[in-house]
Amino acid sequence: MTNDFNNGLNSEKLRSILRSLAAEKKVKQWDLGASCSKDHFVQVDKGEAKQLKASQRSSITIRVWNNDGLVGTTSTSDLSKGGIEKAFVGAFQASQFGNPNDIPDFSPLAKSELPKLSKKLYSFKGIKKLLELLRTAEYELLNKHHAIQNIPYNGLAESEFQRIYLNSEGASRNIKSTHANLYLYARAEENNNKPRSSGAIRIANGIDELDINGCIEEAAKRTIDHLNYRPIDTGKYLVCFTPEAFIELIGAFSNMFNARAVIDGVSLSTKESLGTKISVEELSIYDDSIHPSNVNACSFDGEGTPTKKLCLINKGILENFVHSESTAKQFGVSPTGHAGMGSKVSVGIDWLVISGDTVNPSKSKFNHKEYKDKFILIEGLNALHAGVKGSQGSFSLPFNGWIVDQGQRISIEAATVAGDIREVLNNIIHIEKEQQVTHQGISPHVWVDRLSITGEE
Amino acid sequence: MKNPSEFIASVNSQWKSTLESLLSTGKRSGADFIEIFIENIDNINILAEQDLITSVTPSFGKGAGIRVFLDKKDGFVSTNDLSEKGLSEALEEALGMLGLEPCKSNCLYFDGLHQIRDYGIEKENWLYQCPDLLESTEKILLGTNNIKNYGKHITVRRGSYSRTFQEVLIASSDGTYARDIRLHQSIGLNVLASDRTNRSSIGRRYGSSDQPDDLSKWDPEKSAQDICESSNKMLYADYVEAGQKPVILSNKFGGVIFHEACGHLLETTQIERGTSPFSEKLNKQIANKSVTAVDEGISKGAFGSMSIDDEGMEPQRTVLIEKGVLKRFISDRAGEMRTGHKRTGSGRRQNHTFAAASRMRNTYIMAGKYTPKELIDSVDNGIYCKSMGGGSVGPTGQFNFSVEEGYIIKEGKLTEPVKGATLIGEAKEILPRISMCANDMDLAAGFCGSISGNIYVTVGQPHIKVDSITIGGR
């Protein structure tokens, strides 16, 4: 039952075990992705520790190619020698069912130079320190306004993470990182009105970098601002998405940039969509995995391919898809550093960057701070997993937001915004110049005309 | 991949003394209560696309979760390291979280573990009895192949099968010592239909627990026929008009709304947080008199059934609401400690990395006296929600659910299909509006994600009528 890798993963030891198993089973080609992490997490309730958690996790995913060239994959969290052997045998057996029409190979870039990430590694503060910080944060937030009754969803966490990629041709990738995150979601109620809830999240490389005060201020402001609310009539409205909300919306439809989804026929795009206009000219979108603000940045993907900044939409034109080795081969391009690992390799975006308007930045009257006529400011979208039909393009999502009229904001009681992402992209009437960093990416405020909103009567 | 692990064989011979030593250390160090949860998993996922198997993914794992209580606080540590050293370190870390110093001496500080309650002893051959890879893959391919016979404009055909085999060992300082084996299997089909301008996507999933031979009972032809019928209708559906209308929710998976919008608010985790509007409503009318709702873990073969919960307690049949009156909350050990509501055998977790929490099992509204036709006949202008998509509930109890397959009801008759509908409301406002329950209660398997991870559950209900609800659309 001994786990040989409790104090971190050792690439050479893993390679040695895999080499020996491959020789024994007469397997010539294999690769491996491994990760291990340690986490601390605290949650409080009115000054008392509610939940204190720590975890040590490790897992590996092994791919083997059998003599017919077919691939099998197995993962395990048992990193004892016996556990790794069981996974290796499992992968070999699974390879009998490998897909002959789509055989992944090693990434041609698995040994290429990696981008340099300027990330600092932080030491653990420990549970006691986390608890002290979160108690203080909760206390300060509770005292921001008499209507804030409790902070039902709160948590402060720190983690260390190590990730490895190895293959039988000698590729070796290894990265370590540290993260910290804080979330505070308050519940407020006054004057016999319905309870309201809102909050904020902060992510950083370590506790020392975490903007705790900023999180408290934002959570308080968002919660208090929503205390006074009114219903909204069902209808079509001029809408301004905050950076956070617009990134959430684009992220929910990221299959339009995903080569795997294109090949599988479940994307809104087809191979022929590349080079065509899919949005207004003012819109450019990048996926920038290695952006300095991306706390979760990793210099390589699940196949060892270096990550990089990639233009997805350039001035309204669909320019690139994100790829794994397998999808890139089918499109005749290079992998882009967006792969997971598996017998069927998944592909996904990392960190969206939406450009500010560089065409007419100062000419537009649409500025969320100055616009005088009535519009709806959507601050955050909810229930994305339920309200988005990714393969159809439609969405119907509850949101937190305001009716803004003559510069005055009043919170909306409860409402849903619905539409089609392709229409949204083509009905953008303005993209503000100033970009904001969110925990999911970077975007300016984006204005869209005539979106359907349903109010609760 | 079908050999029983060495883990099973070693339960009695090796684990008891190790666990007693750990529990004793915990008690001696000043903890009120210590619980150790150990698991061993052997899972497989298979994906078929069009007429090919495109992914076969086995996964294995072992780990432990150690939870220590002191007063009403608890510290939880999980680890993949099941060596004595690894477990001792995890215990020490959990004790340290609560400000307790590990006290090491050889004497036992509690009465020891009881005789093991081994619910797994009759289940050890289940892994052998499950379909092998060849049988599983052939069955899924039958499903995707059958879709060709029934679907129009079908461009994507997918089938998937998942089998999870979980062996758990639970030991705690009150002497609880129990072992169980859980087997869950699910199989489903998904299609995407499209022509040049329209698209529809539909998915259906079937699941069971503790039925090794269950895959053989799945009818790929009927499933394909069912999903294609829905897909064909929805391909040319118009967007629904938003507004406030009566709705009829179908039986089986229609119960997802009750699960999400009401069931979660009856879990003691929500009571602890102060986020349930029902926390002070025990023995008060919270729903229409037509509503009696139950949560239980005992229906044979149902996805949310189990021999013991993840705290070693046998599950119960818990009547939550009786004729509209709130009768009981869903509670686990921590919930009982913090809220006073007695445990219901509902302490559940996805795996060893989560502490158990009060979670639903098989949750459903009981059958009423009407026929489904009588419900539809009673609506002049409304929506029939034949199939629900996913949904969520916010921290203030507001819910939002997408309707996967819906039809307009005009003057008591089902008419044209509609898409893009979302049901929006709050449980405390909607429960009194469930005015009619039909006599066709049935269950459907599902997955529930919450504080202690993703777990297997069953939702269910008969056809029900909600007199008025906000429908989001375009």
Side-chain angles (χ1 to χ4, degrees):
Chain A
M1 287 189 287
T2 305
N3 185 335
D4 296 325
F5 298 95
N6 292 322
N7 295 314
L9 298 165
N10 181 323
S11 295
E12 288 316 305
K13 198 167 179 181
L14 277 171
R15 181 182 294 285
S16 167
I17 293 171
L18 264 288
R19 264 192 191 144
S20 151
L21 286 168
E24 196 181 309
K25 312 290 180 196
K26 298 188 171 40
V27 168
K28 291 177 186 160
Q29 187 175 355
W30 55 265
D31 66 359
L32 170 150
S35 66
C36 76
S37 66
K38 289 184 178 176
D39 309 272
H40 287 152
F41 169 82
V42 298
Q43 189 177 51
V44 296
D45 181 16
K46 291 180 181 160
E48 292 295 325
K50 173 83 185 300
Q51 187 163 64
L52 309 172
K53 277 178 77 173
S55 67
Q56 169 274 319
R57 300 175 209 218
S58 46
S59 69
I60 59 169
T61 300
I62 298 172
R63 284 196 301 189
V64 300
W65 281 253
N66 66 22
N67 289 336
D68 297 325
L70 302 178
V71 179
T73 307
T74 295
S75 61
T76 183
S77 61
D78 181 1
L79 267 58
S80 65
K81 198 173 174 189
I84 295 172
E85 181 173 2
K86 188 176 176 184
F88 194 93
V89 171
F92 187 72
Q93 290 176 337
S95 71
Q96 295 167 46
F97 297 88
N99 180 1
N101 293 349
D102 184 10
I103 301 176
D105 204 341
F106 293 154
S107 167
L109 304 176
K111 295 183 191 172
S112 301
E113 191 178 347
L114 295 177
K116 297 269 185 293
L117 301 179
S118 54
K119 291 175 69 172
K120 192 175 168 186
L121 296 180
Y122 286 83
S123 303
F124 267 9
K125 294 289 182 190
I127 288 278
K128 282 180 185 165
K129 181 66 180 171
L130 297 191
L131 190 56
E132 178 190 320
L133 290 169
L134 189 59
R135 272 181 176 143
T136 307
E138 186 203 35
Y139 177 81
E140 288 182 15
L141 182 50
L142 282 169
N143 283 287
K144 287 283 177 189
H145 196 276
H146 63 89
I148 298 180
Q149 298 175 336
N150 61 348
I151 323 293
Y153 297 90
N154 66 74
L156 178 60
E158 60 181 356
S159 60
E160 294 174 356
F161 187 77
Q162 185 188 7
R163 186 170 161 192
I164 279 175
Y165 173 80
L166 304 173
N167 74 26
S168 54
E169 285 183 353
S172 179
R173 308 293 204 191
N174 190 344
I175 190 169
K176 288 184 178 176
S177 59
T178 58
H179 303 154
N181 67 73
L182 168 69
Y183 61 90
L184 299 167
Y185 277 77
R187 185 175 187 273
E189 191 170 2
E190 69 173 7
N191 302 333
N192 294 321
N193 285 345
K194 285 182 181 177
R196 309 287 282 172
S197 178
S198 195
I201 298 172
R202 290 293 185 276
I203 299 174
N205 289 308
I207 294 290
D208 289 339
E209 271 186 22
L210 208 54
D211 179 14
I212 296 175
N213 288 333
C215 192
I216 296 166
E217 292 299 329
E218 186 181 331
K221 183 170 187 334
R222 284 186 166 190
T223 309
I224 296 162
D225 282 355
H226 286 291
L227 273 173
N228 293 313
Y229 58 84
R230 78 170 203 222
I232 185 171
D233 292 333
T234 297
K236 301 257 187 194
Y237 289 88
L238 171 65
V239 168
C240 176
F241 287 94
T242 61
E244 191 175 321
F246 195 67
I247 286 175
E248 284 171 340
L249 187 64
I250 297 296
F253 288 98
S254 63
N255 77 5
M256 73 175 92
F257 310 120
N258 185 322
R260 179 77 265 166
V262 171
I263 290 167
D264 291 347
V266 294
S267 172
L268 291 171
S269 305
T270 64
K271 200 169 179 178
E272 292 69 39
S273 305
L274 283 173
T276 64
K277 181 179 175 296
I278 65 165
S279 78
V280 295
E281 190 188 349
E282 288 76 13
L283 184 68
S284 292
I285 299 180
Y286 299 83
D287 185 70
D288 190 358
S289 314
I290 55 174
H291 193 283
S293 298
N294 181 9
V295 170
N296 294 314
C298 185
S299 52
F300 57 92
D301 72 0
E303 298 179 319
T305 303
T307 50
K308 62 178 183 181
K309 182 177 182 179
L310 181 74
C311 181
L312 304 173
I313 297 178
N314 185 15
K315 294 180 181 173
I317 306 295
L318 182 62
E319 192 155 292
N320 285 297
F321 293 134
V322 294
H323 285 282
S324 65
E325 176 280 331
S326 169
T327 65
K329 193 163 53 190
Q330 294 181 58
F331 277 74
V333 297
S334 289
T336 57
H338 292 85
M341 188 189 230
S343 49
K344 176 169 177 152
V345 177
S346 61
V347 179
I349 57 162
D350 281 321
W351 179 257
L352 290 172
V353 176
I354 290 150
S355 291
D357 183 11
T358 52
V359 181
N360 293 305
S362 58
K363 289 182 182 172
S364 175
K365 62 179 180 178
F366 296 106
N367 180 309
H368 71 282
K369 291 176 186 165
E370 296 166 6
Y371 188 72
K372 292 296 177 198
D373 293 335
K374 186 175 177 180
F375 69 99
I376 306 304
L377 181 62
I378 293 184
E379 178 187 67
L381 299 166
N382 303 320
L384 288 148
H385 68 285
V388 166
K389 288 273 190 185
S391 59
Q392 296 178 32
S394 62
F395 62 90
S396 179
L397 298 164
F399 66 91
N400 300 329
W402 287 277
I403 301 166
V404 188
D405 200 358
Q406 303 301 312
Q408 299 296 310
R409 287 181 181 190
I410 182 141
S411 174
I412 297 168
E413 180 182 0
T416 302
V417 59
D420 183 292
I421 190 66
R422 292 159 293 196
E423 289 173 15
V424 168
L425 293 179
N426 284 290
N427 287 344
I428 292 172
I429 55 172
H430 185 60
I431 300 170
E432 294 187 17
K433 186 181 179 186
E434 187 187 339
Q435 292 173 303
Q436 287 179 18
V437 177
T438 77
H439 65 279
Q440 297 177 96
I442 295 176
S443 174
H445 283 72
V446 178
W447 293 72
V448 180
D449 201 11
R450 294 190 57 73
L451 265 175
S452 294
I453 289 177
T454 305
E456 198 178 348
E457 291 165 27
Chain B
M1 279 179 281
K2 291 181 101 181
N3 296 329
S5 71
E6 69 280 5
F7 185 82
I8 292 171
S10 66
V11 164
N12 286 315
S13 59
Q14 293 178 13
W15 280 108
K16 192 173 181 192
S17 61
T18 303
L19 295 169
E20 285 184 328
S21 170
L22 289 164
L23 294 168
S24 185
T25 300
K27 285 292 283 181
R28 205 164 42 238
S29 306
D32 290 338
F33 187 84
I34 306 104
E35 177 195 81
I36 304 171
F37 176 89
I38 296 172
E39 74 166 344
N40 177 43
I41 58 162
D42 183 330
N43 302 339
I44 194 148
N45 289 294
I46 302 172
L47 175 67
E49 291 172 281
Q50 315 298 61
D51 297 308
L52 275 176
I53 296 296
T54 55
S55 177
V56 172
T57 312
S59 60
F60 310 109
K62 289 176 182 174
I66 298 182
R67 194 175 193 185
V68 176
F69 286 87
L70 181 65
D71 297 325
K72 291 184 178 178
K73 289 183 289 188
D74 72 281
F76 177 79
V77 176
S78 65
T79 179
N80 289 136
D81 184 358
L82 295 187
S83 67
E84 281 193 36
K85 181 171 173 285
L87 293 171
S88 291
E89 286 175 357
L91 173 64
E92 286 172 20
E93 191 167 5
L95 291 167
M97 287 176 181
L98 301 174
L100 299 172
E101 287 289 327
C103 175
K104 293 175 183 174
S105 81
N106 291 327
C107 62
L108 284 176
Y109 205 76
F110 80 119
D111 295 335
L113 292 171
H114 301 157
Q115 180 69 28
I116 191 163
R117 285 182 286 129
D118 195 346
Y119 298 87
I121 202 158
E122 303 291 326
K123 307 173 183 175
E124 285 173 7
N125 286 329
W126 278 2
L127 211 48
Y128 286 115
Q129 293 164 10
C130 285
D132 62 18
L133 278 177
L134 193 62
E135 186 184 345
S136 313
T137 52
E138 283 177 352
K139 192 92 181 193
I140 305 167
L141 287 172
L142 263 178
T144 58
N145 196 271
N146 268 305
I147 293 170
K148 283 193 287 196
N149 301 331
Y150 298 103
K152 290 177 193 164
H153 305 293
I154 302 284
T155 53
V156 176
R157 294 174 281 128
R158 279 184 170 168
S160 59
Y161 167 72
S162 165
R163 187 263 291 148
T164 65
F165 177 89
Q166 182 197 37
E167 179 187 14
V168 300
L169 186 63
I170 299 154
S172 49
S173 57
D174 63 356
T176 298
Y177 191 36
R179 172 179 172 259
D180 193 18
I181 285 173
R182 288 93 175 253
L183 175 71
H184 290 90
Q185 295 181 87
S186 72
I187 188 160
L189 295 176
N190 289 73
V191 296
L192 177 69
S194 62
D195 64 8
R196 288 191 178 276
T197 51
N198 299 296
R199 281 186 165 198
S200 74
S201 58
I202 301 280
R204 298 268 195 280
R205 198 149 196 91
Y206 165 79
S208 71
S209 71
D210 297 355
Q211 310 273 311
D213 60 346
D214 205 43
L215 187 63
S216 61
K217 296 175 191 163
W218 180 64
D219 185 340
E221 184 163 356
K222 186 172 177 298
S223 291
Q225 201 172 351
D226 176 42
I227 197 170
C228 289
E229 187 183 313
S230 295
S231 163
N232 295 341
K233 284 179 180 165
M234 295 309 294
L235 182 59
Y236 297 107
D238 278 335
Y239 282 102
V240 72
E241 187 184 322
Q244 190 90 11
K245 291 175 185 173
V247 297
I248 306 295
L249 295 167
S250 72
N251 63 353
K252 297 185 184 178
F253 201 67
V256 71
I257 293 198
F258 181 80
H259 170 102
E260 293 286 356
C262 181
H264 279 298
L265 300 176
L266 301 180
E267 294 166 344
T268 49
T269 45
Q270 300 278 349
I271 310 290
E272 290 172 42
R273 281 195 189 121
T275 49
S276 172
F278 303 124
S279 54
E280 306 296 328
K281 301 283 185 184
L282 209 58
N283 295 317
K284 292 185 178 155
Q285 195 84 28
I286 63 164
N288 192 291
K289 283 183 179 174
S290 65
V291 177
T292 293
V294 168
D295 178 71
E296 47 88 351
I298 54 177
S299 289
K300 187 173 166 53
F303 224 29
S305 292
M306 63 198 105
S307 300
I308 48 170
D309 73 357
D310 291 326
E311 297 178 324
M313 182 178 178
E314 290 188 1
Q316 300 176 346
R317 182 179 187 274
T318 311
V319 176
L320 303 172
I321 299 170
E322 189 171 19
K323 294 181 180 172
V325 176
L326 179 61
K327 288 291 182 188
R328 193 80 191 262
F329 292 104
I330 298 162
S331 185
D332 64 331
R333 186 185 301 280
E336 179 175 327
M337 202 177 288
R338 292 170 183 151
T339 68
H341 297 292
K342 292 285 180 199
R343 290 166 73 194
T344 50
S346 310
R348 303 187 67 191
R349 59 182 115 200
Q350 179 179 334
N351 57 36
H352 69 275
T353 65
F354 295 89
S358 55
R359 302 288 298 274
M360 282 173 276
R361 300 157 297 185
N362 309 307
T363 313
Y364 45 87
I365 296 174
M366 302 289 285
K369 61 183 180 184
Y370 301 98
T371 63
K373 185 176 178 305
E374 285 176 304
L375 269 61
I376 291 168
D377 284 348
S378 73
V379 175
D380 280 338
N381 178 19
I383 303 289
Y384 174 54
C385 305
K386 183 181 175 190
S387 170
M388 298 302 300
S392 69
V393 184
T396 56
Q398 192 192 44
F399 65 78
N400 164 79
F401 286 89
S402 63
V403 180
E404 189 179 63
E405 183 179 357
Y407 297 86
I408 291 174
I409 305 172
K410 277 184 193 161
E411 295 171 355
K413 304 280 182 231
L414 293 186
T415 62
E416 63 265 32
V418 283
K419 64 182 175 184
T422 308
L423 305 184
I424 306 157
E426 276 187 55
K428 65 177 183 180
E429 290 172 1
I430 297 301
L431 283 172
R433 297 185 202 158
I434 301 174
S435 60
M436 296 172 83
C437 294
N439 55 8
D440 59 345
M441 201 286 284
D442 206 349
L443 303 177
F447 298 89
C448 172
S450 185
I451 184 171
S452 59
N454 293 315
I455 58 168
Y456 303 97
V457 295
T458 298
V459 299
Q461 65 179 30
H463 276 80
I464 62 169
K465 178 185 176 186
V466 181
D467 287 339
S468 176
I469 193 167
T470 302
I471 297 168
R474 291 203 215 169

